[in-house]
């Protein structure tokens, strides 16, 4: 196990919500909640201002609205989030060939493998520079943890939030972990935490005091041994640059249960098409087609069919998904459907019959998502065309974003990432001068094509609210905090 704190963990601060605040000047410093806005929607990300009211990720959206009724509730813009994530990942890969993304906004980096850090001072310098580079390139902030292992680096970045840097120096790991809750350790969720609490174990130090044999008795051999090792700050997992994809899948949860069997079939076909697009986008094919159905009573069924060889043919995958649906009773209603492909490969076995079917499908035209009847009760035109938070452009007033819509009207706030908070205007939903638009960049490019850093004459913006605790660094200079 290495001794220098050269494993870096980056976690972008309230990523989706921060992007929305950075792109919408009127929302900076205010509570913002991003997620599904329907009756069964859940919170994807809440800004730090919204978290003050108790709103957090994975919370039902209805509960979030009760806790923070005056927050801005926005539909995610995943294309924008992905483009910003790709820019951040480019900066990480400039540091090291060993970058392990965990999600759009989170990754591990082995700084030693990149030759940019070999001890505590050099690692700290790399972390400070990375945070400054991220701010200059995206206008956003990220929190950085540095330690000698992945587990400790992730704990350090959590301690650094928001907008900070924490280094766990070698020799201080046990003292730091000891008073922390058992839930701090990876793999200790609510169920395991409650089980340990009933045994009188609530802190990491109490895990060590209980001993390995007691952990094995309480949790089983594999989990007990692993948890005891983590409590002793032992973690030899390497940073893995390419994580193997085991499956590709898509699923939708519906605001209103689907009862019509034909409509269920159309939804499965649409999901199969989306799954194929993701499969092809990753350059993969697969042998096993999987259908997931969650019924009205929350019972979840999965059905699968394994083909003779891997395929990415849309007709083959659609037909397999339809056959699987034939074996599922949807009487009473369906609340969730999903289609996936596993048994992945990076090639496709030629199948003349499948190829011919695919050519017929292309000749007839692709199945477009908007051609499928919606699963829920047909929404109003306003709700269908103008998602809250999405970008629009008016021929007279320019770029703006949708604050809300309904009753044949859509309300738009006209502002850009580099402007002052803008004015609000309301239009008919069918106003010919109003149309959907692409998001604007959060950071303007300099005259030489580079990113203009905040505070250097640029119009880059930061999503960090002014109300953050003064104990955390909020400057692009990346002041670091060492925590024993």
């Amino acid at each position: 196990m290495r001794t220098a704190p050269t494993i870096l963990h980056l976690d972008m601060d309230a990523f989706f919500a921060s992007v929305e605040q950075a792109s919408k000047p009127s929302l900076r410093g205010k509570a913002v909640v991003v997620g599904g806005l329907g009756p069964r929607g859940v919170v994807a990300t809440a800004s730090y201002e919204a978290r003050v009211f108790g709103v957090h990720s994975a919370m039902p959206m209805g509960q979030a609205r009760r806790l923070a009724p005056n927050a801005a509730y926005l539909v995610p813009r995943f294309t924008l989030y992905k483009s910003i994530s790709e820019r951040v990942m480019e900066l990480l890969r400039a540091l090291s060939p060993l970058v392990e993304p965990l999600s759009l906004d989170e990754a591990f980096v082995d700084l030693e493998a990149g030759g940019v850090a070999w001890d505590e001072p050099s690692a700290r310098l790399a972390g400070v520079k990375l945070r400054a580079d991220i701010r200059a390139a995206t206008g956003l902030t990220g929190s950085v943890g540095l330690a000698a292992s992945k587990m400790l680096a992730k704990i350090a970045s959590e301690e650094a939030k928001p907008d900070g840097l924490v280094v766990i120096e070698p020799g201080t790991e046990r003292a730091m972990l000891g008073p922390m809750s058992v839930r701090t350790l990876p793999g200790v969720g609510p169920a395991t935490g409650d089980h340990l609490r009933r045994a009188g174990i609530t802190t990491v130090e109490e895990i060590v005091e209980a001993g390995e044999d007691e952990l094995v008795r309480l949790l089983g051999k594999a989990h007990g041994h692993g948890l005891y090792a983590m409590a002793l700050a032992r973690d030899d997992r390497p940073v893995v640059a390419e994580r193997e994809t085991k499956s590709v899948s898509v699923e939708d949860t519906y605001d209103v249960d689907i009862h019509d069997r034909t409509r269920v079939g159309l939804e499965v076909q649409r999901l199969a098409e989306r799954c194929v697009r993701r499969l092809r986008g990753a350059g993969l094919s697969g042998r096993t087609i999987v259908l997931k159905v969650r019924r009205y009573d929350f019972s979840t069924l999965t059905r699968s069919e394994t083909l003779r060889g891997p395929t990415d043919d849309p007709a083959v995958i659609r037909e397999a998904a339809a056959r699987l649906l034939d074996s599922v009773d949807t009487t009473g209603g369906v609340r969730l459907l999903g289609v996936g492909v596993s048994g992945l490969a990076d090639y496709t076995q030629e199948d003349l019959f499948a190829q011919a079917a695919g050519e017929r499908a292309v000749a007839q035209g692709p199945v477009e998502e908007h051609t499928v009847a919606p699963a829920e009760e047909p929404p109003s035109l306003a709700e269908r065309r103008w998602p809250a938070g999405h970008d629009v452009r008016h021929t007279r007033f320019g770029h703006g974003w949708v604050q809300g819509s309904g009753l044949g009207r859509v309300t738009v706030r006209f502002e850009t990432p580099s402007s002052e908070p803008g004015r609000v205007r309301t239009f008919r939903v069918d106003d010919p001068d109003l149309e959907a638009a692409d998001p604007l960049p959060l950071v303007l490019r300099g005259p030489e094509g580079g990113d203009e850093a905040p505070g250097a004459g640029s119009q880059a913006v930061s999503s960090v609210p002014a109300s953050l605790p003064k104990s955390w660094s909020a400057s692009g200079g990346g002041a670091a905090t060492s925590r024993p």
Side-chain angles (χ1 to χ4, degrees):
M1 181 175 176
R2 73 182 69 199
T3 56
T6 54
I7 300 294
L8 180 148
H9 181 260
L10 169 71
D11 197 349
M12 298 296 289
D13 299 321
F15 184 49
F16 296 172
S18 292
V19 171
E20 298 301 340
Q21 288 178 317
S23 65
K24 300 172 172 64
S26 59
L27 296 184
R28 293 172 197 164
K30 298 181 180 179
V32 175
V33 180
V34 180
L37 303 188
R40 291 176 180 162
V42 297
V43 175
T45 309
S47 69
Y48 287 99
E49 297 87 350
R51 296 179 192 188
V52 171
F53 298 98
V55 180
H56 58 77
S57 300
M59 171 181 285
M61 191 61 76
Q63 182 180 355
R65 288 185 183 275
R66 289 190 293 273
L67 292 171
N70 296 320
Y73 289 87
L74 307 177
V75 176
R77 296 185 292 167
F78 287 112
T79 301
L80 175 61
Y81 306 152
K82 184 177 179 183
S83 68
I84 296 172
S85 171
E86 289 171 351
R87 184 71 183 95
V88 171
M89 295 302 165
E90 287 175 4
L91 293 173
L92 297 184
R93 293 188 180 98
L95 292 175
S96 172
L98 293 184
V99 176
E100 183 177 339
L102 303 180
S103 62
L104 287 177
D105 61 339
E106 185 180 1
F108 287 110
V109 184
D110 188 331
L111 298 177
E112 187 175 354
V116 297
W118 49 91
D119 57 9
E120 189 272 335
S122 59
R124 185 188 297 274
L125 184 63
V128 168
K129 183 178 185 302
L130 172 64
R131 293 179 59 241
D133 288 346
I134 289 173
R135 181 188 287 273
T138 69
L140 304 175
T141 64
S143 295
V144 166
L146 289 160
S149 70
K150 289 167 70 173
M151 178 190 78
L152 292 170
K154 185 171 174 61
I155 290 173
S157 70
E158 190 65 30
E159 290 290 295
K161 281 189 165 293
D163 190 22
L165 184 152
V166 168
V167 178
I168 300 178
E169 298 179 2
T172 67
E173 299 93 345
R174 289 281 303 278
M176 180 211 65
L177 282 176
M180 290 185 170
S181 165
V182 295
R183 292 289 303 277
T184 303
L185 299 179
V188 181
T192 301
D194 286 345
H195 193 52
L196 292 172
R197 180 182 54 79
R198 288 193 293 270
I201 300 173
T202 59
T203 67
V204 175
E205 184 58 36
E206 287 170 347
I207 289 177
V208 177
E209 292 172 355
E212 191 168 14
D213 291 342
E214 178 66 7
L215 266 292
V216 169
R217 186 187 69 80
L218 288 171
L219 304 175
K221 188 173 182 180
H223 200 181
H225 286 312
L227 191 59
Y228 185 72
M230 287 189 291
L232 294 174
R234 298 173 185 165
D235 178 21
D236 295 327
R237 294 173 300 158
V239 175
V240 181
E242 296 295 334
R243 306 180 75 198
E244 182 182 0
T245 302
K246 298 184 182 299
S247 65
V248 172
S249 63
V250 296
E251 62 181 43
D252 278 342
T253 300
Y254 305 103
D255 291 345
V256 177
D257 291 345
I258 310 174
H259 292 86
D260 182 76
R261 181 76 179 190
T262 300
R263 186 173 286 175
V264 173
L266 288 171
E267 282 295 300
V268 168
Q269 296 296 291
R270 182 178 65 83
L271 289 166
E273 289 284 340
R274 283 174 52 195
C275 186
V276 168
R277 288 197 292 271
R278 289 193 61 187
L279 196 68
R280 288 182 167 181
L284 298 170
S285 59
R287 299 181 66 239
T288 302
I289 315 303
V290 180
L291 175 71
K292 178 180 177 181
V293 180
R294 180 167 297 150
R295 299 188 291 190
Y296 70 99
D297 59 356
F298 287 89
S299 61
T300 302
L301 305 176
T302 56
R303 299 287 186 268
S304 64
E305 176 181 321
T306 299
L307 308 174
R308 288 176 298 169
T311 184
D312 65 354
D313 188 286
V316 172
I317 293 174
R318 286 199 309 266
E319 291 165 8
R323 287 193 298 271
L324 294 170
L325 180 61
D326 289 340
S327 67
V328 177
D329 179 13
T330 59
T331 304
V334 171
R335 61 185 292 118
L336 177 147
L337 290 168
V339 174
V341 177
S342 61
L344 300 179
D346 57 1
Y347 67 94
T348 302
Q349 180 172 304
E350 292 296 335
D351 183 320
L352 296 179
F353 293 101
Q355 189 177 53
E359 289 170 352
R360 287 196 301 274
V362 170
Q364 295 166 358
V367 177
E368 299 290 345
E369 289 190 22
H370 68 264
T371 64
V372 180
E376 63 273 12
E377 293 299 316
S380 70
L381 183 60
E383 293 168 333
R384 185 163 62 246
R385 289 184 57 194
W386 310 113
H390 281 223
D391 299 84
V392 295
R393 177 168 292 279
H394 192 275
T395 54
R396 178 182 173 190
F397 301 110
H399 191 93
W401 58 277
V402 176
Q403 279 202 328
S405 60
L407 301 176
R409 300 284 177 176
V410 54
T411 300
V412 177
R413 184 180 288 274
F414 289 97
E415 59 187 7
T416 70
S418 58
S419 74
E420 297 295 321
R423 295 185 62 181
V424 174
R425 298 181 184 275
T426 299
F427 308 90
R428 299 192 317 272
V429 296
D430 57 354
D431 190 319
D433 291 330
L434 190 67
E435 62 181 3
D438 292 329
L440 297 177
L442 302 187
V443 174
L444 297 181
R445 298 280 174 170
E448 301 299 323
D451 297 321
E452 293 187 352
S458 77
Q459 297 186 61
V461 295
S462 170
S463 59
V464 181
S467 59
L468 290 181
K470 296 185 182 299
S471 57
W472 296 107
S473 166
S475 69
T481 301
S482 177
R483 188 176 290 256

